[in-house]
Amino acid sequence: MQRATDGWGSGLLGVIIFSGSLPATRVAVGGFSPVFLTSARAVIAALLGAALLLLLRQKRPARADLLPLAVVALGVVVGFPLLTALALQHVTSAHSMVFIGLLPLATALFGVIRGGERPKPAFWLFSMAGAALVAGFALAGGGGASHAGDLPMVAAILLCGLGYAEGARLSRRLGGWQVISWALVLALPVMAVIALFTLPQAWGDIGAPAWLGLAYVSVFSMLVGFVFWYRGLALGGIAGVGQLQLLQPFLGLALAALVLGEPVAWTMIAATAGVVLCVAGTRRFA
């Protein structure tokens, strides 16, 4: 019981950190191209991860771990950051939250396929209800639909779900922060080359908000958040803890209200309460 509780607590911290990712990305693409933003955030996080691995004298992963680590890198280091950055050029961050609400289902699906988990049928009912609630809320107030933005978001959710599930499997053996650090290091050579070839031509035109957005997604979204998230998935179960992502859209909106002074409607509070109940249900039947 203590192991599961620790897993859910750690997973919640990860979700709180991730909640600022899309707003920060939205701000960052105002000053950087999506390709440079994706590669630069990966390079910065990889250097930090490599420093931690060296400082704490971590053993190198086994040869059999390289392919799973490559899958993690494809999903959460390259795929999700790049595709969401491309999507946020065409849709608002509010509209993109429709798809973030579907991420727990993708994570649970790959948890079943790759992690061998077998949730009870009631789990899927609560999970689909929570996803529908998030999607309905975002559609009611998000707007800004665009095929150029929606298609990359669908692909981003699938790759991210795969990366989460694969990383959780490895975390049970290697440790949470070690998995994301090694995945970042594995992707570093390629991402460094891409960053050099996509450097901004006019650095002076890049405003402070874009720099702050880059800093947040590099340090917190790309590294610190995963330390807690993969630990939570490994301890509490991929399918169950993955449902905490249902809270992410609302945490992001709350963050926008506190930082940007945007109003919070009563519908947000009501929808959040419903999502919390769905998350509680998924935990019960995971």
Side-chain angles (χ1 to χ4, degrees), residues 17 34-35 39 55 81 135 142 163 189 208 219 262 277:
I17 293 172
V35 176
S39 55
L55 187 63
V219 178
E262 297 179 355
L277 291 176

mmCIF file of all heavy atoms in Angstrom, residues 17 34-35 39 55 81 135 142 163 189 208 219 262 277:
data_model
loop_
_atom_site.group_PDB
_atom_site.id
_atom_site.type_symbol
_atom_site.label_atom_id
_atom_site.label_comp_id
_atom_site.label_asym_id
_atom_site.label_seq_id
_atom_site.Cartn_x
_atom_site.Cartn_y
_atom_site.Cartn_z
ATOM 1 N N ILE A 17 4.299 19.514 -12.648
ATOM 2 C CA ILE A 17 5.401 20.114 -13.411
ATOM 3 C C ILE A 17 5.072 20.149 -14.897
ATOM 4 O O ILE A 17 5.299 21.152 -15.585
ATOM 5 C CB ILE A 17 6.698 19.327 -13.166
ATOM 6 C CG1 ILE A 17 7.147 19.490 -11.711
ATOM 7 C CG2 ILE A 17 7.807 19.783 -14.120
ATOM 8 C CD1 ILE A 17 8.305 18.608 -11.316
ATOM 9 N N PRO A 34 9.995 25.554 -34.243
ATOM 10 C CA PRO A 34 9.695 24.300 -33.537
ATOM 11 C C PRO A 34 10.856 23.316 -33.532
ATOM 12 O O PRO A 34 11.094 22.642 -32.527
ATOM 13 C CB PRO A 34 8.497 23.749 -34.319
ATOM 14 C CG PRO A 34 7.836 24.944 -34.913
ATOM 15 C CD PRO A 34 8.961 25.883 -35.246
ATOM 16 N N VAL A 35 11.598 23.228 -34.648
ATOM 17 C CA VAL A 35 12.702 22.269 -34.726
ATOM 18 C C VAL A 35 13.842 22.683 -33.800
ATOM 19 O O VAL A 35 14.398 21.854 -33.064
ATOM 20 C CB VAL A 35 13.208 22.139 -36.174
ATOM 21 C CG1 VAL A 35 14.421 21.214 -36.234
ATOM 22 C CG2 VAL A 35 12.097 21.613 -37.076
ATOM 23 N N SER A 39 15.143 20.600 -30.423
ATOM 24 C CA SER A 39 16.529 20.139 -30.297
ATOM 25 C C SER A 39 17.257 20.853 -29.162
ATOM 26 O O SER A 39 18.022 20.223 -28.421
ATOM 27 C CB SER A 39 17.275 20.345 -31.620
ATOM 28 O OG SER A 39 17.203 21.700 -32.044
ATOM 29 N N LEU A 55 28.129 12.513 -11.982
ATOM 30 C CA LEU A 55 28.327 12.922 -10.589
ATOM 31 C C LEU A 55 27.958 11.810 -9.617
ATOM 32 O O LEU A 55 28.643 11.580 -8.614
ATOM 33 C CB LEU A 55 27.498 14.177 -10.298
ATOM 34 C CG LEU A 55 27.707 14.843 -8.935
ATOM 35 C CD1 LEU A 55 29.138 15.345 -8.793
ATOM 36 C CD2 LEU A 55 26.713 15.980 -8.736
ATOM 37 N N PRO A 81 7.646 16.666 -27.986
ATOM 38 C CA PRO A 81 8.007 18.091 -28.043
ATOM 39 C C PRO A 81 7.904 18.689 -29.439
ATOM 40 O O PRO A 81 7.397 19.799 -29.615
ATOM 41 C CB PRO A 81 9.450 18.099 -27.532
ATOM 42 C CG PRO A 81 9.566 16.885 -26.688
ATOM 43 C CD PRO A 81 8.725 15.851 -27.383
ATOM 44 N N ALA A 135 -12.226 16.310 -22.733
ATOM 45 C CA ALA A 135 -12.429 16.703 -24.128
ATOM 46 C C ALA A 135 -13.636 17.621 -24.268
ATOM 47 O O ALA A 135 -13.584 18.623 -24.989
ATOM 48 C CB ALA A 135 -12.609 15.465 -25.000
ATOM 49 N N GLY A 142 -12.386 25.859 -25.844
ATOM 50 C CA GLY A 142 -11.086 25.978 -26.492
ATOM 51 C C GLY A 142 -11.147 26.627 -27.860
ATOM 52 O O GLY A 142 -10.556 27.645 -28.122
ATOM 53 N N GLY A 163 6.145 6.353 -25.100
ATOM 54 C CA GLY A 163 7.352 6.711 -24.357
ATOM 55 C C GLY A 163 7.157 6.612 -22.857
ATOM 56 O O GLY A 163 8.054 6.173 -22.131
ATOM 57 N N PRO A 189 23.706 13.378 -29.558
ATOM 58 C CA PRO A 189 24.475 13.680 -30.777
ATOM 59 C C PRO A 189 23.609 14.192 -31.926
ATOM 60 O O PRO A 189 23.948 15.187 -32.578
ATOM 61 C CB PRO A 189 25.118 12.327 -31.122
ATOM 62 C CG PRO A 189 25.195 11.599 -29.822
ATOM 63 C CD PRO A 189 23.956 11.998 -29.074
ATOM 64 N N ALA A 208 12.228 38.030 -23.983
ATOM 65 C CA ALA A 208 12.422 37.338 -22.708
ATOM 66 C C ALA A 208 11.416 36.205 -22.491
ATOM 67 O O ALA A 208 11.790 35.143 -21.980
ATOM 68 C CB ALA A 208 12.361 38.349 -21.559
ATOM 69 N N VAL A 219 14.462 22.392 -18.603
ATOM 70 C CA VAL A 219 14.831 21.921 -17.268
ATOM 71 C C VAL A 219 13.711 21.124 -16.613
ATOM 72 O O VAL A 219 13.917 20.018 -16.109
ATOM 73 C CB VAL A 219 15.246 23.099 -16.368
ATOM 74 C CG1 VAL A 219 15.572 22.601 -14.955
ATOM 75 C CG2 VAL A 219 16.438 23.838 -16.966
ATOM 76 N N GLU A 262 -5.894 35.281 -15.929
ATOM 77 C CA GLU A 262 -7.088 34.895 -16.687
ATOM 78 C C GLU A 262 -8.197 34.436 -15.742
ATOM 79 O O GLU A 262 -7.921 33.798 -14.714
ATOM 80 C CB GLU A 262 -6.738 33.786 -17.677
ATOM 81 C CG GLU A 262 -5.732 34.209 -18.732
ATOM 82 C CD GLU A 262 -5.374 33.086 -19.685
ATOM 83 O OE1 GLU A 262 -5.846 31.954 -19.458
ATOM 84 O OE2 GLU A 262 -4.640 33.336 -20.644
ATOM 85 N N LEU A 277 -12.920 12.661 -9.444
ATOM 86 C CA LEU A 277 -13.698 11.457 -9.157
ATOM 87 C C LEU A 277 -13.327 10.323 -10.119
ATOM 88 O O LEU A 277 -13.233 9.158 -9.717
ATOM 89 C CB LEU A 277 -15.195 11.764 -9.262
ATOM 90 C CG LEU A 277 -15.774 12.674 -8.172
ATOM 91 C CD1 LEU A 277 -17.242 12.975 -8.457
ATOM 92 C CD2 LEU A 277 -15.621 12.027 -6.795
#
